[in-house]
Amino acid sequence: MYLAKIKVTYKPSVLDPQGEVIKSALHRLDYETVEQVVQGKYFEVKLTASDLEDAKQLIESMAEALLINQNTETYDYTVEEVEG
Amino acid sequence: MYLAKIKVTYKPSVLDPQGEVIKSALHRLDYETVEQVVQGKYFEVKLTASDLEDAKQLIESMAEALLINQNTETYDYTVEEVEG
């Protein structure tokens, strides 16, 4: 069994309105030292695969097929073998 | 300057309907070996702080004040010093 942890964020060139909203909310709560906030999506996917390489390929394929919008988002991930 | 990376997911006891929806979508796309999907939020927060300990305390305080719903969500984070 493999566990992938996938972080999805907007590409740097894409405006992140949600991040701006959160930054101003944090400033209103007196967290003045916050300079920048980025909000994205986080996925954990448990899957079986023949080996680590196969798990990686499956994850990259799933990410690009469903989990991210390739026009506006970018992602990075880790995959590790787990029990169960 | 410090950069915090915060992963927010539902507590294990809380149903994750979005994760179930994504799992069935992945199965329909022939990713049969997917056993479980968890979807959460991901934040990156850049902030200034007097030192690493101060940055950690600020992040924990912000997370609990705004970034997570303490009834249904749990989070983990990393903080590192960065340039700029």
Side-chain angles (χ1 to χ4, degrees), chain A residues 33-36, chain B residues 1-4 45-52 55 79-84:
Chain A
T33 69
V34 169
E35 305 264 342
Q36 184 193 21
Chain B
M1 183 76 76
Y2 294 88
L3 174 63
V45 178
K46 244 188 202 170
L47 73 160
T48 54
S50 47
D51 55 33
L52 187 61
V79 184
E80 58 189 313
E81 191 158 15
V82 292
E83 289 298 314

Side-chain angles (χ1 to χ4, degrees), chain B residues 14-34:
Chain B
V14 177
L15 185 68
D16 175 9
Q18 189 58 18
E20 289 303 316
V21 164
I22 293 168
K23 185 171 89 170
S24 17
L26 287 170
H27 284 174
R28 280 198 305 278
L29 291 170
D30 296 333
Y31 298 105
E32 304 293 343
T33 69
V34 170

Side-chain angles (χ1 to χ4, degrees), chain B residues 4-64:
Chain B
K5 296 180 177 180
I6 306 159
K7 293 187 266 191
V8 180
T9 52
Y10 283 118
K11 290 182 176 176
S13 56
V14 177
L15 185 68
D16 175 9
Q18 189 58 18
E20 289 303 316
V21 164
I22 293 168
K23 185 171 89 170
S24 17
L26 287 170
H27 284 174
R28 280 198 305 278
L29 291 170
D30 296 333
Y31 298 105
E32 304 293 343
T33 69
V34 170
E35 305 264 342
Q36 184 192 22
V37 177
V38 166
Q39 177 172 356
K41 294 178 284 193
Y42 173 67
F43 298 98
E44 287 184 4
V45 178
K46 244 188 202 170
L47 73 160
T48 54
S50 47
D51 55 33
L52 187 61
E53 209 39 51
D54 182 35
K56 283 181 180 175
Q57 278 170 18
L58 281 166
I59 288 298
E60 286 176 19
S61 171
M62 289 178 211
E64 281 145 31

Side-chain angles (χ1 to χ4, degrees), chain A residues 6-39:
Chain A
I6 305 158
K7 294 186 271 192
V8 180
T9 52
Y10 283 116
K11 289 181 177 177
S13 56
V14 177
L15 185 68
D16 174 10
Q18 190 58 17
E20 289 303 317
V21 164
I22 293 168
K23 185 171 87 171
S24 9
L26 287 171
H27 283 174
R28 281 198 303 279
L29 291 170
D30 296 332
Y31 297 105
E32 304 293 341
T33 69
V34 169
E35 305 264 342
Q36 184 193 21
V37 176
V38 166
Q39 176 172 357

Side-chain angles (χ1 to χ4, degrees), chain A residues 52-65:
Chain A
L52 187 61
E53 208 38 50
D54 181 34
K56 284 181 179 175
Q57 278 170 17
L58 281 166
I59 289 298
E60 287 176 18
S61 170
M62 291 178 210
E64 282 146 32

